[in-house]
Amino acid sequence: MDEQLHETYDEVLARNPGETEFHQAVLEVLDSLGPVVAKHPEYTDRAIIRRMCEPERQIIFRVPWVDDDGNVEINRGFRVEFNSALGPFKGGLRFHPSVYLGIVKFLGFEQIFKNSLTGLPIGGGKGGSDFDPKGRSDAEIMRFCQAFMTELYRHIGEYTDVPAGDIGVGGRELGYLFGQYKRITNRYESGVLTGKGLSWGGSQVRTEATGYGTVFFTEEILRARGESLDGRTVVVSGSGNVAIYAIEKVHELGGKVIACSDSSGYIVDEKGIDLELLKQVKLERRGRITDYVETRGASAQMGTRGSVWDVKCDIALPCATQNELNGSDAKTLASNGCSVVSEGANMPCTPDAIRTLADAGITFAPGKAANAGGVATSALEMQQNASRDSWTFQHTEERLAEIMSHIHQRCLETADEYGSPGNYVAGANISGFIQVADAMLAQGVI
Ligand code: GLU
């Protein structure tokens, strides 16, 4: 790595002790920037990269609420407003017990480049809480969301910071969050949150967008080498919002998803995942995938060894969470003949996995490019809110497909230009970076 980039990384380590996921996300970007700083000394002269590694604002707050038994519970809330060079801070909220500052910062940092790649006017941010929604009643979820928004409302706004969902935050939670925002401010500001319900300012395709977008991106990779998803066997990890709609789109495009997972294990269904059943189990009943196997009958079984990555496939779509696919999983995928790994989740592949995939000649698409369809469709929701309009499903899906194809093209062209042909990591990092860096240069030392 270039010496100045190395110094920047050392500074990040020293200033953000213990935040390992954030360190990992920064290193992955810095690793790609050598040829950029060589060509553009102005970025280092004006400390652009060092400024980019320091969030514009970080908010940490207490979230006190009362559970169904009358006990007072205390969680920690976060909103990291990372970079507003291209537009208002934009990024989801994650409710999961693993959430701490290092996770929110890794997600917020990734979001800067991802949002830049969409070509839409959105900056980068992320938030969430260490609240664990698992096993909580609907009333508890509502009281928690209300307590969370009671602090968050003062930091967000259509022109300031626009949160959305992520792990543990979907349509139900966004409804409670929006309701509380409206109640506190006495204003119907549709553009303050995205991922809203269709009858109250939401956009068609937003729910499906991350999963669909990942599959559109994968299809673009295959098309670039004269192939397609038709007839391909696919393995997806996770079974939440991203995974479910990735499976739906793979099936629509003629591929077959034969495995997916959740925290209770993984399932293999040789006939192809029955999506209606999976939606029933995961979305309606909020159950576990073991219930899928019980209802489905002979074609489906719980996986017995290793992980979902032991299932032989042509294409792997990690759609669960960070660092869920490691070096040895990557080796297994390679020896099973897998040729594309495309990230539906944020940073699901470890650095070791990414190296192993590259060595094995497997095409790897990083999340900041491949899963940008979710936030891109959030930006389309903001457009509709600003013009008090609402588009059809077909029109919105066409826009999403165009955006994903454009990101794909930008990645390949930039990778070529900077001497790493076919390298989607370099293409995504460099292309996302340059657009933000140029905006920061233009806006002065702020
Ligand atoms: N949480 C999603 C992501 O990781 C979407 C964020 C948004 O729509 O603002 O990109």
Side-chain angles (χ1 to χ4, degrees):
M1 199 197 286
D2 166 279
E3 201 181 318
Q4 273 167 320
L5 289 170
H6 213 285
E7 275 172 28
T8 303
Y9 182 60
D10 286 342
E11 188 180 39
V12 168
L13 292 182
R15 288 171 70 81
N16 306 279
E19 297 174 2
T20 50
E21 297 82 1
F22 178 49
H23 304 161
Q24 184 184 334
V26 170
L27 185 60
E28 198 230 45
V29 172
L30 295 188
D31 254 339
S32 302
L33 295 184
V36 182
V37 295
K39 198 167 165 184
H40 296 281
E42 68 275 21
Y43 295 149
T44 4
D45 292 348
R46 307 304 286 163
I48 293 287
I49 304 174
R50 289 176 56 217
R51 276 194 271 155
M52 242 185 236
C53 292
E54 183 71 21
E56 288 183 32
R57 187 178 296 115
Q58 308 184 52
I59 303 147
I60 304 181
F61 51 99
R62 178 169 71 198
V63 188
W65 58 284
V66 180
D67 72 15
D68 285 345
D69 299 324
N71 301 313
V72 174
E73 305 274 347
I74 298 161
N75 286 101
R76 190 169 285 176
F78 301 89
R79 187 71 186 167
V80 173
E81 298 181 333
F82 229 115
N83 194 300
S84 64
L86 299 182
F89 304 107
K90 181 83 197 85
L93 298 170
R94 176 177 291 191
F95 293 169
H96 191 271
S98 65
V99 167
Y100 76 107
L101 190 58
I103 293 274
V104 182
K105 277 163 73 176
F106 119 62
L107 291 164
F109 187 75
E110 291 260 308
Q111 202 83 43
I112 304 171
F113 307 98
K114 182 195 309 197
N115 293 5
S116 165
L117 281 171
T118 66
L120 298 164
I122 40 179
K126 202 84 185 192
S129 174
D130 58 0
F131 171 69
D132 186 359
K134 211 179 261 170
R136 290 296 182 186
S137 71
D138 196 61
E140 288 178 317
I141 299 283
M142 181 179 76
R143 286 197 297 277
F144 176 79
C145 289
Q146 291 176 340
F148 187 83
M149 185 53 84
T150 300
E151 170 60 31
L152 188 69
Y153 88 95
R154 66 187 87 246
H155 307 290
I156 61 178
E158 181 185 355
Y159 298 106
T160 316
D161 183 355
V162 185
D166 196 84
I167 293 172
V169 178
R172 171 178 63 165
E173 292 73 20
L174 285 160
Y176 296 145
L177 291 164
F178 185 71
Q180 184 72 352
Y181 180 86
K182 187 159 63 67
R183 184 189 194 188
I184 295 172
T185 59
N186 192 31
R187 289 164 68 92
Y188 204 110
E189 287 176 34
S190 302
V192 74
L193 291 176
T194 61
K196 300 184 292 298
L198 290 178
S199 63
W200 45 279
S203 173
Q204 295 283 357
V205 194
R206 178 62 193 88
T207 310
E208 296 85 352
T210 312
Y212 278 19
T214 303
V215 176
F216 287 146
F217 197 89
T218 309
E219 183 80 338
E220 291 287 337
I221 294 174
L222 294 169
R223 187 175 305 147
R225 55 189 208 205
E227 300 169 16
S228 84
L229 267 164
D230 195 27
R232 297 306 189 88
T233 301
V234 181
V235 164
V236 171
S237 64
S239 50
N241 178 263
V242 180
I244 283 176
Y245 293 102
I247 297 172
E248 186 162 284
K249 191 48 79 180
V250 169
H251 286 175
E252 267 178 52
L253 295 176
K256 183 160 93 170
V257 179
I258 56 161
C260 67
S261 62
D262 72 6
S263 55
S264 66
Y266 72 95
I267 54 172
V268 183
D269 188 335
E270 291 300 339
K271 280 195 188 154
I273 300 285
D274 176 339
L275 197 65
E276 282 323 301
L277 177 58
L278 187 66
K279 282 184 182 173
Q280 231 175 60
V281 169
K282 297 305 293 189
L283 301 180
E284 286 164 38
R285 288 191 245 152
R286 294 180 192 273
R288 299 184 148 211
I289 45 167
T290 43
D291 303 348
Y292 175 99
V293 174
E294 278 157 29
T295 319
R296 176 70 164 157
S299 74
Q301 291 133 30
M302 288 303 291
T304 46
R305 65 191 186 92
S307 74
V308 73
W309 309 122
D310 286 291
V311 181
K312 187 173 161 49
C313 62
D314 302 318
I315 293 159
L317 305 177
C319 295
T321 194
Q322 68 274 354
N323 293 329
E324 53 155 317
L325 194 163
N326 62 27
S328 95
D329 298 326
K331 268 198 199 108
T332 310
L333 286 170
S335 60
N336 282 340
C338 172
S339 75
V340 179
V341 175
S342 192
E343 294 187 324
N346 290 315
M347 210 168 77
C349 295
T350 64
D352 190 20
I354 298 172
R355 269 191 302 274
T356 310
L357 294 172
D359 291 347
I362 297 177
T363 304
F364 169 70
K368 56 171 84 67
N371 75 32
V375 75
T377 308
S378 277
L380 301 182
E381 182 172 333
M382 290 162 73
Q383 279 184 32
Q384 292 168 76
N385 293 152
S387 56
R388 300 188 184 277
D389 198 359
S390 125
W391 306 343
T392 63
F393 191 95
Q394 198 194 338
H395 175 68
T396 318
E397 193 183 13
E398 280 166 14
R399 291 288 315 264
L400 169 64
E402 270 166 31
I403 293 168
M404 297 314 295
S405 156
H406 188 234
I407 297 174
H408 178 262
Q409 195 185 335
R410 247 176 93 171
C411 287
L412 284 190
E413 284 173 7
T414 311
D416 259 352
E417 188 185 336
Y418 284 86
S420 309
N423 183 337
Y424 288 92
V425 174
N429 286 337
I430 296 173
S431 174
F433 168 81
I434 287 179
Q435 183 164 313
V436 180
D438 287 344
M440 288 176 71
L441 273 181
Q443 292 168 13
V445 180
I446 52 167

